[in-house]
Amino acid sequence: MDEGRGSSETREPAEGESESLDLQMQRLQIGSVACKHGLILPFHAASECAEFVTTFNARFSAAQGPISDCFQAAIFAARKSHPEVWKDSSKMKWIFSVFVANATQCLLSGNIAAGAHASFASFFEQWVALKLHHNQYAIDWNLIRNLFYADEQTLRGYLRERCTSCSCVGMCLGSSIVTNGENNIGMTTS
């Protein structure tokens, strides 16, 4: 019988297997709870930050015009209603994790909103680097726009780098998301 298959003997993980085993252990500890795709839980200010996310999403969706105008409207509304959140690194990181988790879930279900959520995550990630940690010179609006209109492969790459605690983005590689002429995410095919 091969070592590790049905054997009661334990073995040391081979090089490159440790991450996979760590992920398996994390799933065992969680039990039957569905993967949260990197969402930081529990979080002491989750309800306040959830209101922030709702405000941002609602204003972005209600705005008309190019995505830059939609972002400006959403940023203005969220800054007006939750000015203290913008100054708190832990709250902003939680908000970033919400958008990464939402983008991951949308991507896995073939939802067209995956690109929007990934672009929101990128904006908040960059905001933290620029305004709170002072280790970025400016917001890269080109990256944000590219994520908004990204194809499946680009989104998977972006999310894989930011959601290291879950392997869901690497799963379901047999399906692909078809894009239309504008590079918006379309429907899932097999």
Side-chain angles (χ1 to χ4, degrees):
M1 185 179 301
D2 290 343
E3 185 178 355
R5 277 199 229 158
S7 171
S8 61
E9 298 176 19
T10 60
R11 64 178 179 88
E12 290 296 316
E15 189 174 339
E17 272 188 349
S18 61
E19 181 178 282
S20 177
L21 293 173
D22 288 343
L23 290 172
Q24 290 173 10
M25 290 304 296
Q26 182 182 11
R27 277 191 223 107
L28 287 174
Q29 289 172 354
I30 294 172
S32 63
V33 176
C35 180
K36 299 296 182 198
H37 310 307
L39 180 64
I40 300 168
L41 290 175
F43 185 67
H44 69 283
S47 62
E48 176 185 19
C49 292
E51 290 173 14
F52 177 101
V53 168
T54 300
T55 300
F56 187 89
N57 278 334
R59 192 62 189 114
F60 186 94
S61 297
Q64 300 292 316
I67 64 166
S68 58
D69 292 352
C70 297
F71 263 99
Q72 293 304 320
I75 292 165
F76 179 78
R79 287 187 86 166
K80 185 176 180 183
S81 64
H82 298 88
E84 68 289 345
V85 173
W86 290 90
K87 300 172 190 169
D88 188 315
S89 181
S90 65
K91 291 177 183 177
M92 294 305 283
K93 286 179 182 177
W94 188 85
I95 290 166
F96 163 75
S97 80
V98 166
F99 286 119
V100 168
N102 287 345
T104 301
Q105 186 57 48
C106 287
L107 179 66
L108 295 174
S109 63
N111 188 322
I112 193 169
H117 288 286
S119 70
F120 298 165
S122 179
F123 170 76
F124 286 107
E125 178 182 39
Q126 292 183 59
W127 176 267
V128 169
L130 176 69
K131 297 293 187 176
L132 301 177
H133 295 161
H134 309 289
N135 60 4
Q136 184 169 324
Y137 179 71
I139 299 288
D140 184 350
W141 288 103
N142 192 41
L143 171 62
I144 292 168
R145 184 183 183 287
N146 288 343
L147 284 169
F148 191 87
Y149 295 112
D151 61 13
E152 179 186 16
Q153 183 178 358
T154 302
L155 290 172
R156 282 187 187 279
Y158 175 81
L159 295 170
R160 213 178 275 124
E161 289 176 10
R162 279 141 185 95
C163 187
T164 58
S165 65
C166 100
S167 62
C168 297
V169 177
M171 295 177 166
C172 303
L173 292 176
S175 68
S176 62
I177 295 179
V178 178
T179 58
N180 65 21
E182 298 176 6
N183 289 333
N184 290 328
I185 297 175
M187 50 195 284
T188 302
T189 62
S190 4

